[in-house]
């Protein structure tokens, strides 16, 4: 059953009314084309009005949509000859992070991504997209390999955050994330990070130290999930909507704040409406960014990432 949200109710009601009129017209052999066309034009306007003015919490809902495309959905549309590598060579293979090598627009690249499951069973297997330390160490292994063979690195971010259970802490979650941050800051190859859904906390930032940070139009990138923020600030996770507005974590907010370098357009209503159209926009934007970065020398790439990080949180103080 398709997932719909409360703010989409007017659209669904109008779509149902149009479908009923079309069925009635067919059954009774009555020409209702003028009435149907009028309603169709109204539907187009309504979609643009609703989806063009989404509140931050509504964007969170779209970013978490159960049918939102994940990394595996984009692979055949973005890459050729993708070969997945598994395991961190230390403990195990974490199913919440996938990665490997591929050809992007004729260029060999290393790709690493968070990944959620489809349905409850797969989500449990992938820990709902929340990696354990072995996942970040797998990512680090693949990115170190990219550095060795001078391949650009493309990361895709979609996680509520890193796993925070006892096993994760016992196996060194903080250290694993810190090593990813340290390594990505120092690589000599171009790095492009794309948020395709949720970008939650340090679990997202571990794959987010890039020369270019791109966000899909209805994604978000934040130091904390809105529910967790509401629980800490107001002791009430039910105030997640207010927290979402206060956090300024939408793609549009982050572009204005200088944290994001670009926004990738989604089909009206979200990426799940057409993975093909979303992938086409993503391919175009990433290709343009990669072409620009490949012209830069290694020292400039490193300096670019350092300056980008240092400018996060810039503010002016009254004298």
């Amino acid at each position: 059953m398709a997932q719909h949200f409360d703010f989409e109710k007017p659209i669904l009601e109008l779509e149902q009314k149009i479908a009923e009129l079309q069925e009635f017209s067919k059954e009774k052999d009555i020409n209702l084309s003028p009435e149907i066309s009028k309603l169709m034009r109204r539907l187009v306007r309504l979609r643009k009005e609703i989806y063009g003015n989404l509140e931050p919490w509504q964007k969170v809902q779209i970013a978490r949509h159960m049918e939102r495309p994940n990394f595996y959905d984009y692979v055949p549309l973005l890459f050729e000859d993708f070969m997945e590598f598994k395991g961190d060579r230390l403990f195990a293979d974490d199913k919440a992070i996938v990665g490997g090598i591929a050809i992007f627009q004729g260029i060999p690249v290393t790709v690493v991504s968070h990944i959620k499951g489809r349905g409850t069973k797969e989500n449990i297997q992938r820990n709902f997209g929340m990696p354990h330390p072995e996942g970040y160490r797998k990512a680090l292994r693949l990115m170190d390999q990219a550095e060795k063979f001078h391949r650009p690195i493309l990361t895709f971010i979609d996680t509520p955050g890193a796993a925070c259970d006892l096993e994760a802490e016992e196996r060194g979650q903080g250290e694993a994330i810190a090593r990813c941050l340290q390594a990505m800051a120092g690589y000599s190859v171009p790095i492009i990070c794309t948020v395709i859904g949720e970008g939650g906390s340090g679990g997202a930032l571990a794959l987010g130290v890039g020369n270019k940070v791109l966000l899909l139009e209805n994604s978000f990138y934040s130091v904390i999930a809105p529910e967790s923020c509401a629980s800490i600030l107001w002791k009430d996770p039910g105030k997640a909507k207010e927290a979402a507005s206060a956090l300024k974590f939408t793609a549009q907010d982050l572009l204005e704040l200088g944290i994001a370098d670009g926004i990738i357009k989604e089909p009206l209503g979200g990426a799940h409406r057409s993975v093909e159209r979303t992938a086409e926009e993503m391919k175009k934007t990433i290709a343009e960014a990669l072409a620009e970065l490949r012209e830069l020398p290694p020292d400039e790439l490193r300096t670019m990432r350092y300056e980008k990080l240092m400018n996060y949180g810039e503010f002016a103080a009254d004298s």
Side-chain angles (χ1 to χ4, degrees):
M1 187 176 178
Q3 181 183 14
H4 299 293
F5 304 114
D6 289 343
F7 65 86
E8 296 178 301
K9 188 176 179 181
I11 295 173
L12 299 175
E13 290 175 346
L14 189 52
E15 286 176 337
Q16 184 178 356
K17 186 174 182 179
I18 292 170
E20 289 172 353
L21 276 179
Q22 289 172 331
E23 183 65 25
F24 181 80
S25 175
K26 184 178 179 181
E27 285 181 359
K28 303 298 183 180
D29 195 22
I30 300 174
N31 183 13
L32 296 175
S33 297
E35 290 80 2
I36 293 172
S37 296
K38 184 178 179 180
L39 289 177
M40 289 295 290
R41 290 192 296 271
R42 183 180 163 195
L43 178 60
V44 170
R45 291 196 301 270
L46 185 61
R47 284 173 174 164
K48 288 181 179 179
E49 180 184 341
I50 290 177
Y51 292 128
N53 297 282
L54 293 173
E55 297 176 0
W57 178 246
Q58 293 167 341
K59 288 180 180 288
V60 171
Q61 291 177 295
I62 292 178
R64 293 172 173 173
H65 195 286
M66 65 174 63
E67 295 173 11
R68 190 170 179 85
N70 64 24
F71 174 71
Y72 282 140
D73 295 317
Y74 291 122
V75 164
L77 301 171
L78 293 176
F79 304 109
E80 297 175 8
D81 301 326
F82 174 66
M83 181 183 295
E84 184 175 347
F85 296 154
K86 298 187 177 184
D88 66 343
R89 302 295 187 265
L90 293 169
F91 181 75
D93 180 53
D94 190 298
K95 297 186 186 305
I97 284 187
V98 298
I101 56 176
I103 302 297
F104 177 75
Q105 303 282 280
I107 302 168
V109 296
T110 289
V111 292
V112 181
S113 179
H114 300 98
I115 189 160
K116 300 176 183 176
R118 292 279 190 226
T120 304
K121 183 177 180 181
E122 189 184 354
N123 257 320
I124 290 172
Q125 291 174 346
R126 298 192 183 281
N127 200 34
F128 296 86
M130 297 184 289
H132 282 81
E134 52 271 23
Y136 292 113
R137 292 181 180 124
K138 173 170 64 174
L140 181 61
R141 179 174 74 85
L142 296 180
M143 292 189 291
D144 281 346
Q145 184 190 79
E147 173 76 357
K148 178 179 179 180
F149 292 103
H150 310 292
R151 290 193 297 263
I153 298 169
L154 306 181
T155 70
F156 297 87
I157 296 167
D158 187 14
T159 179
C164 55
D165 52 28
L166 180 61
E167 290 81 1
E169 296 304 321
E170 287 175 339
R171 297 200 289 271
Q173 185 71 292
E175 184 267 353
I177 291 174
R179 284 193 178 274
C180 282
L181 299 174
Q182 181 186 45
M184 292 183 81
Y187 288 143
S188 63
V189 299
I191 304 174
I192 300 173
C193 311
T194 305
V195 183
I196 60 175
E198 292 187 78
S201 194
L205 186 60
L207 300 185
V209 183
N211 298 98
K212 296 285 186 180
V213 176
L214 309 171
L215 280 84
L216 285 185
E217 186 178 3
N218 293 307
S219 62
F220 68 95
Y221 193 23
S222 174
V223 296
I224 193 170
E227 294 89 346
S228 301
C229 177
S231 295
I232 293 170
L233 293 182
W234 299 297
K235 313 299 181 187
D236 181 6
K239 292 189 175 182
K241 183 176 179 179
E242 290 85 341
S245 297
L247 284 165
K248 301 293 184 185
F249 58 21
T250 67
Q252 296 73 20
D253 290 328
L254 297 179
L255 183 64
E256 185 178 337
L257 292 169
I259 293 173
D261 297 292
I263 297 174
I264 300 170
K265 190 173 177 59
E266 296 183 30
L268 208 59
H272 59 283
R273 299 285 184 176
S274 175
V275 62
E276 292 82 8
R277 284 162 55 196
T278 307
E280 191 61 36
E281 290 290 333
M282 196 184 303
K283 182 189 291 186
K284 181 174 66 175
T285 306
I286 293 175
E288 290 172 356
L290 186 56
E292 176 189 334
L293 295 174
R294 291 183 75 212
E295 298 294 321
L296 303 179
D299 286 347
E300 193 168 336
L301 289 170
R302 281 191 287 264
T303 300
M304 185 181 182
R305 287 194 294 271
Y306 176 79
E307 290 179 349
K308 187 174 183 62
L309 285 172
M310 290 300 100
N311 287 331
Y312 286 177
E314 186 177 358
F315 65 94
D318 294 333
S319 57

